[in-house]
Amino acid sequence: MPIAPGKLSDPAVRAFVTAVNAHDRDAFLALLTPDATMSDDGSDRDLEEWIDKEIFDVGGHMDVQNESHGGRGLLVTYRNDTWGEMRTSWRFDVCDDGRISRFETGQA
């Protein structure tokens, strides 16, 4: 049974999942540091290009199945209009100011 976004342990990760599921690109970007980076399946990607292609232009949605590492590691059933549904892992680096400086995702 998925974990409701509001029940996630880490506030930054909770806001990240909430922004993705609400398709709120502005709220999503506000959660990131100006120099935030990300990777997909082990390869660094252009963050803004990737989030449009994989999340915001294609109805991305995260159903969190499990969390670890104090809420900064997630096992997610992720779906979008391009790829359908897949099991993915997510890991987040969160700065002292509560913003995300890096996230990594990939198939689980």
Side-chain angles (χ1 to χ4, degrees):
M1 182 166 195
I3 302 170
K7 302 279 188 187
L8 295 172
S9 301
D10 187 275
V13 174
R14 182 183 325 127
F16 182 101
V17 173
T18 299
V20 168
N21 290 351
H23 311 289
D24 189 338
R25 189 178 190 277
D26 292 337
F28 179 94
L29 290 173
L31 299 168
L32 306 178
T33 62
D35 60 347
T37 60
M38 63 84 52
S39 72
D40 183 5
D41 285 329
S43 297
D44 278 12
R45 307 294 173 108
D46 178 278
L47 189 143
E48 289 208 36
E49 180 182 299
W50 187 90
I51 65 170
D52 288 338
K53 181 180 171 198
E54 300 291 340
I55 300 174
F56 295 107
D57 291 347
V58 292
H61 187 87
M62 301 174 81
D63 286 323
V64 179
Q65 304 301 316
N66 191 11
E67 62 177 348
S68 59
H69 301 32
R72 294 185 179 173
L74 301 179
L75 183 61
V76 173
T77 301
Y78 185 77
R79 68 180 178 274
N80 67 30
D81 297 340
T82 301
W83 305 109
E85 189 172 283
M86 67 191 88
R87 194 167 167 92
T88 58
S89 63
W90 297 72
R91 190 181 71 75
F92 299 88
D93 294 337
V94 181
C95 296
D96 291 340
D97 69 1
R99 291 189 297 167
I100 295 167
S101 61
R102 180 171 177 81
F103 67 92
E104 298 174 357
T105 186
Q107 292 200 43

